[in-house]
Amino acid sequence: MQEELRILITAEDIAKRIKELAKEIEKDFGDEPLVFIGTLKGAFIFLADLVRYIQKEDIFIDFVRVKSYGYSDKSSGEVIITKDIEIPIEGKNVILVEDIIDTGITLDFLKKHLALHKPKTIKICALIDKKERRKVEINPDYVGFRIEKGFLVGFGLDYAERYRHLPQICEVIK
Ligand code: IMP
Ligand code: MG
């Protein structure tokens, strides 16, 4: 069945905002090396765009893959790492890049998990911060867009694995 979608954030607005976030991160870290860790699959497009706007020499990129939602639009409340980081982050500045924060459970878990590797700092950069269903306090350091509620797709975000490829962010109308 095809869902009805409504455009919430255009591709142009997303690009503009990502450039601003990149500049903020650049400014905050000066010449220090940075490790960007993207959460698969949702953050793959966001991370790819974000790092291209950061003008620095020492940028490292890695990914983690976590599962929490499966094929539903509600969190199971359980987070499982299915792919861990592969590059060392001890003593490094880490930027954890997430597509969307909902309950906060995923990032809370990931932050604690990465902290075990003793990085110098861990900052959270989320494209979307969705407040309504927050269960665990998470205060992202860099946020693209804040919304209250709704289920969003596009620009990496999926609904049952569909719509990740859309260049804009849309709300699913049920
Ligand atoms: P949290 O652990 O509840 O914060 O969930 C975070 C993850 O749930 C995100 O990385 C997404 O994969 C997924 N998610 C939460 N809200 C949405 C949404 O509106 N659209 C698509 N995926 C979502
Ligand atoms: Mg995700």
Side-chain angles (χ1 to χ4, degrees):
M1 193 200 80
Q2 202 74 12
E3 286 75 26
E4 194 187 326
L5 304 182
R6 184 170 63 87
I7 296 179
L8 205 64
I9 312 168
T10 64
E12 292 72 24
D13 286 346
I14 299 170
K16 184 166 164 267
R17 188 68 190 119
I18 293 179
K19 278 181 202 161
E20 289 168 359
L21 290 176
K23 289 301 148 216
E24 248 184 83
I25 293 171
E26 220 177 79
K27 181 166 70 61
D28 289 352
F29 288 92
D31 288 333
E32 290 192 50
L34 278 178
V35 185
F36 286 85
I37 300 179
T39 57
L40 293 172
K41 299 174 202 175
F44 82 112
I45 297 181
F46 178 38
L47 182 137
D49 279 4
L50 183 69
V51 293
R52 270 182 283 186
Y53 297 125
I54 297 183
Q55 270 135 33
K56 266 175 179 298
E57 269 176 36
D58 286 330
I59 295 280
F60 302 89
I61 292 164
D62 207 343
F63 292 95
V64 284
R65 169 102 171 96
V66 292
K67 260 193 175 160
S68 59
Y69 270 50
Y71 282 86
S72 120
D73 65 356
K74 287 210 184 65
S75 174
S76 63
E78 227 180 283
V79 185
I80 307 159
I81 294 194
T82 56
K83 184 222 163 297
D84 209 341
I85 51 166
E86 290 165 38
I87 62 175
I89 59 166
E90 189 174 337
K92 300 273 168 52
N93 294 305
V94 169
I95 311 267
L96 187 50
V97 182
E98 172 71 307
D99 47 356
I100 183 164
I101 313 175
D102 187 12
T103 63
I105 292 170
T106 307
L107 279 182
D108 181 60
F109 174 87
L110 273 178
K111 218 178 160 182
K112 288 175 183 152
H113 173 74
L114 293 176
L116 299 175
H117 293 264
K118 299 189 170 45
K120 184 175 172 191
T121 59
I122 304 180
K123 302 283 184 200
I124 290 175
C125 177
L127 181 60
I128 298 155
D129 185 1
K130 186 166 73 173
K131 287 275 156 64
E132 197 197 28
R133 296 197 292 196
R134 195 61 49 84
K135 289 203 178 99
V136 186
E137 198 186 328
I138 282 283
N139 294 304
D141 303 278
Y142 306 96
V143 175
F145 302 93
R146 291 175 212 274
I147 63 155
E148 209 30 56
K149 56 185 179 186
F151 199 84
L152 310 186
V153 295
F155 210 80
L157 295 158
D158 74 306
Y159 179 61
E161 291 303 327
R162 296 171 61 220
Y163 309 119
R164 289 193 198 274
H165 65 293
L166 299 179
Q168 62 283 95
I169 293 170
C170 303
E171 187 177 358
V172 177
I173 317 279
K174 290 191 181 162

